[in-house]
Structures are given as C-alpha cells and as structure tokens.
Amino acid sequence: MSLNTKAAAFLATDAARASLTRLYGHNEAVLARQTERYNALAQRHVELFGEKDGMRFVSAPGRTEVAGNHTDHNHGRVLAAAVNLDTVAAVTPNDKSIVTLYSEGYDKPFVVDLNDLEPKKSEYETTDGLIRGVAARMKELGYVIGGFDAVVCSTVFKGSGLSSSAAFEVLICAVIDSLYNGFVVDAKKRAQIGQYAENVFFGKPCGLMDQMASSVGGLVAIDFGKDDPVVTAMKFDFEAAGYVPAVVSVGGEHGNLTADYAAIPAEMKSVAEALGGKVLADIDPKVMEEAIPQLKNKVKDRAILRALHFYDENERVDKLVAALEDGDITTFFEMLIASGESSWKLLQNLYVAGSDNEEMPLALELSRRMLEGCGAWRIHGGGFAGTILVFLPKDMVAEYTERMNAVFGEGAVTPLMIRADGAVQILY
C-alpha cells in the first residue's frame, strides 16, 4: 500500500476523526475540509519526496491574545488562547542533516543545512532563520536533531496577529522532537526554543506569549514575572455563555514593522533601566509614577506612557482572570474594552505614525457602535496592522460579519474556537 493510500485510509478511521474533532470542533463541514486538507498534504509529500516510511502529521495552533498587550517582554501577565487555525506539516525523517520544506504559497522549497547552526544576519526575518534557530537551540539543550522532508500549509494567515511565526517555530520544534526524540520536549521548553529562534536567528526581539500560547494550548493565564513562567489553565466556555470570539482582518502587513515592534520593549526597558532595573516588572508601579518628573528628561515621553500601560495592563489581566473564574462576563468585557483603549491611548500601537491608513481604529469604532452593551472589542496581537479581536453574541455573528466584510472585504471576519491542545503529533 502506497503512503498516500495509507494516509487516506487512516484519515477515514474513527481514530483520525477523533483527533481532528479535538483540534477543529464537531462541525461536519469543517471536519470534511480538514480531512481533505490532511490528505492533500500527504499526497503532495509523496509527489515531492517519493514513498517513504515514518510519515506523520504535526500541527501547531495560532493564538489569540485575549489581554496583556505587550506585557510579556517586560515580564508581565497575559491571558491568551490557542485557536483552531493552525500550521500543519506532513513530514518524514531523512539521513542527510538537511531540512527541505515546501510551504503552501511558495514556489521553491526552504532548504537548510543543519551542519551549520550559526546565526546569519542574511537570514533575519526569513523562514530559513527560524528553522536553523530552532534546530540550533534544540541541539544546544541536548536534544537530538536531524534532517527532514516536509510539506506545510497554514490557516494562520500571515500578518494576522494570530502569530503565524510562533506557530511555525513551535511546529518545527515539535517536528524535530517527534522524529528524533519521541515527542518528549516540555511544552514550556518548546515555547522558549521558539522564542530563542525568533530573537537570535530571526532578529525580532519578541516576548514569549505567542510561543507559549501556541505550544501549551487552551485558554491560559501566564505570569512571566519569574524565570520559569507560571501557566494557569482557565476553564471558561465562551460558547456555552453565548459568545463567539472572532478576529477581523482589517488590512496591513506585519512583515515590515519589526522596528515598530522593537521600539515597544526597548522603550519600556529604558524606563526600567533609568530606575535601576532591567524590565518593568523589576520596578514597583508606585515608584515609577513618583519618578515621572525625573524620567521626563531621561527617556521619551512615549516610553513613560508605554510603561504606564504595562502596569495598568497587568492589573487588568488579574481582573479578567478573576471575572472568568466568577463567571462574570460583564466585568470581563469591561476590562477587555479598557485594555484596547489603553493600547490606543498609552501604548500607541494601533497604526504606524505618518501613515494615512488607520484601518484598526476604524474597525474598533465600527465594532463599538455595533457591540456596545452586548459584546467586546480590542486591538489584537502586536498591533500597527493586522487584526482586531471581538466577542460576539451568537445571534449577532451573521449581521456583524456582513457589515464588517462590506468595509474590509469578503472573509475579513474569522470566528474562532479555542483549541484545547497546543502542538500535537498525529501518527498512523
């Protein structure tokens, strides 16, 4: 039996259906599309690499940042969730120490020689850099690494604020772990490996929230205040409460905004350093506020505002967590909206300075006019471009979708399901 036939036969089994249902929900049409998606990956793998033993699927989810906008990199607190949009690979090992990865939407494969694991500035902001960085860190930590042949597709659309790069980093770590280590890497360690790759090999000074939410799965509160982040699983069921989380793609691309992102942690840390710390979590918020007269002439005004956002946002995350634990959706929505307002006013990451395009403020204002008193809206992800996050009453999903699609284009609104699992392997 050829491997593509084996994959098709496996995907028709109850075991495969159970795995896909856990990742994507019970909707029959969705399950049919996912089954077709996985089968197409397996068949494409055979077309490109021939029939090989040891094929498996590996999936890593995108994430939604519920609250905690730009707090992780200064050791703050966040509330985040893995979602049912993911990056999936059909993959087999090889004995060449070479990674050959075909990704949907690219004409040529990404080819990385794992005999060379040094960072390269020429690979900053590239897929090659992420692959090399994950492998390098895994080897440094004592894990076995090796080459592999992969075909990858993703529903975590690039520039969406759903962390396509983090999902990819987590995926690559999970692939190497699955092929060569027996899938033993701890979820938190896997996230840290991904962050290392993005910081050192990709050249982006990101925090750890994106990778952690993708790697761990579910709805989680994360406290980055210690060397070992504290991850607390949350059990709130938004669907049962009558609400659907969704993201709205409002336009813009994240790819050329690294400098804008990098300025946020740098400016926050400049405040901390002026007060004798390394990150804002090192400094008591009252001490920081009392020192504003002295900070005024030492750091940028925007840095002071961003520091104030950090402290306020940390408190909001605690209140959001408490509201979920109490089943208090009204307070939850109030805090969520306040989080978005703080990002707009203090953090200032809703649009790029000097740009004529202000899609995110427009999307937020339209959402406020539709959802005030019955839902919630806020910036989503790193900001400057990409998406907003909303919580919609079930009976408003169709109307909201129609009205926002009319402004931002067909398919702008994407309803989400919170996915219980982080990175997974599916063997057959």
Side-chain angles (χ1 to χ4, degrees):
M1 182 182 289
S2 65
L3 275 176
N4 54 348
T5 306
K6 284 182 179 178
F10 166 73
L11 290 167
T13 65
D14 289 342
R17 180 182 174 84
S19 295
L20 297 182
T21 298
R22 183 170 176 83
L23 298 181
Y24 308 107
H26 292 83
N27 183 283
E28 289 297 331
V30 171
L31 287 173
R33 287 198 299 271
Q34 292 297 338
T35 300
E36 182 179 351
R37 177 188 181 209
Y38 277 65
N39 191 44
L41 277 176
Q43 295 208 32
R44 181 65 172 153
H45 192 284
V46 172
E47 291 171 7
L48 291 168
F49 300 110
E51 297 185 3
K52 298 177 64 180
D53 293 330
M55 182 185 287
R56 76 279 315 275
F57 300 110
V58 179
S59 162
R63 70 95 184 94
T64 179
E65 172 202 281
V66 180
N69 198 212
H70 280 285
T71 57
D72 56 335
H73 45 59
N74 269 259
H75 297 194
R77 296 187 283 279
V78 304
L79 184 64
V83 298
N84 55 321
L85 304 179
D86 65 345
T87 302
V88 179
V91 60
T92 54
N94 66 47
D95 57 2
K96 298 177 290 187
S97 294
I98 300 289
V99 172
T100 302
L101 185 149
Y102 286 84
S103 183
E104 185 179 45
Y106 293 88
D107 295 332
K108 297 180 180 180
F110 300 96
V111 180
V112 177
D113 185 349
L114 300 185
N115 292 304
D116 178 3
L117 295 177
E118 292 299 315
K120 305 177 188 305
K121 286 191 176 181
S122 62
E123 290 184 348
Y124 278 9
E125 300 188 39
T126 69
T127 299
D128 291 16
L130 292 178
I131 295 170
R132 198 182 307 276
V134 168
R137 186 59 173 162
M138 291 185 75
K139 184 175 182 180
E140 186 178 309
L141 292 172
Y143 296 107
V144 178
I145 67 170
F148 58 86
D149 300 320
V151 180
V152 174
C153 69
S154 183
T155 53
V156 188
F157 35 106
K158 189 177 180 182
S160 65
L162 291 162
S163 294
S164 56
S165 59
F168 184 78
E169 295 152 16
V170 169
L171 177 82
I172 296 302
C173 183
V175 163
I176 296 174
D177 186 24
S178 175
L179 294 174
Y180 294 105
N181 296 277
F183 212 64
V184 299
V185 178
D186 174 80
K188 289 200 288 186
K189 180 64 66 178
R190 184 166 56 218
Q192 291 165 337
I193 290 168
Q195 182 199 26
Y196 174 89
E198 188 156 344
N199 289 171
V200 178
F201 284 73
F202 191 79
K204 183 175 178 180
C206 68
L208 186 57
M209 177 187 69
D210 298 349
Q211 295 85 353
M212 192 68 77
S214 175
S215 187
V216 173
L219 176 65
V220 291
I222 310 172
D223 186 342
F224 293 101
K226 301 182 182 299
D227 292 336
D228 186 22
V230 178
V231 181
T232 304
M234 306 296 298
K235 300 298 184 183
F236 193 85
D237 188 335
F238 290 103
E239 183 178 2
Y243 295 93
V244 176
V247 289
V248 185
S249 180
V250 302
E253 212 333 288
H254 282 174
N256 61 349
L257 299 176
T258 295
D260 295 280
Y261 295 128
I264 295 177
E267 289 180 14
M268 287 183 177
K269 289 174 183 177
S270 73
V271 173
E273 289 165 2
L275 297 174
K278 292 183 178 180
V279 294
L280 285 177
D282 295 335
I283 308 299
D284 184 276
K286 291 182 179 179
V287 171
M288 180 266 160
E289 287 200 45
E290 290 172 359
I292 289 176
Q294 292 75 43
L295 290 170
K296 179 70 174 70
N297 298 315
K298 284 187 176 181
V299 301
K300 295 178 181 179
D301 291 351
R302 189 175 66 178
I304 296 172
L305 293 171
R306 286 174 163 173
L308 292 171
H309 164 83
F310 171 88
Y311 293 119
D312 291 350
E313 191 76 342
N314 272 341
E315 288 188 11
R316 271 189 293 271
V317 169
D318 288 344
K319 292 176 182 177
L320 281 156
V321 169
L324 289 179
E325 290 174 340
D326 293 340
D328 182 357
I329 198 71
T330 299
T331 299
F332 175 82
F333 284 164
E334 288 174 355
M335 291 297 102
L336 202 73
I337 294 165
S339 171
E341 290 295 307
S342 180
S343 291
W344 195 333
K345 180 179 178 181
L346 300 181
L347 189 61
Q348 300 179 30
N349 67 330
L350 261 66
Y351 52 87
V352 178
S355 171
D356 293 331
N357 296 321
E358 297 188 7
E359 298 97 340
M360 293 184 79
L362 176 59
L364 290 167
E365 177 58 18
L366 293 175
S367 297
R368 182 191 69 79
R369 290 169 181 266
M370 281 185 274
L371 300 175
E372 194 163 34
C374 63
W377 57 94
R378 70 179 289 270
I379 185 176
H380 184 256
F384 301 108
T387 57
I388 67 168
L389 172 70
V390 293
F391 282 83
L392 306 171
K394 286 182 180 179
D395 61 3
M396 285 192 65
V397 172
E399 177 190 357
Y400 180 88
T401 299
E402 180 180 1
R403 292 176 66 178
M404 294 300 278
N405 283 356
V407 177
F408 297 103
E410 195 62 32
V413 180
T414 303
L416 300 174
M417 180 193 86
I418 293 177
R419 165 171 154 167
D421 298 313
V424 297
Q425 60 175 353
I426 301 177
L427 307 175
Y428 64 93

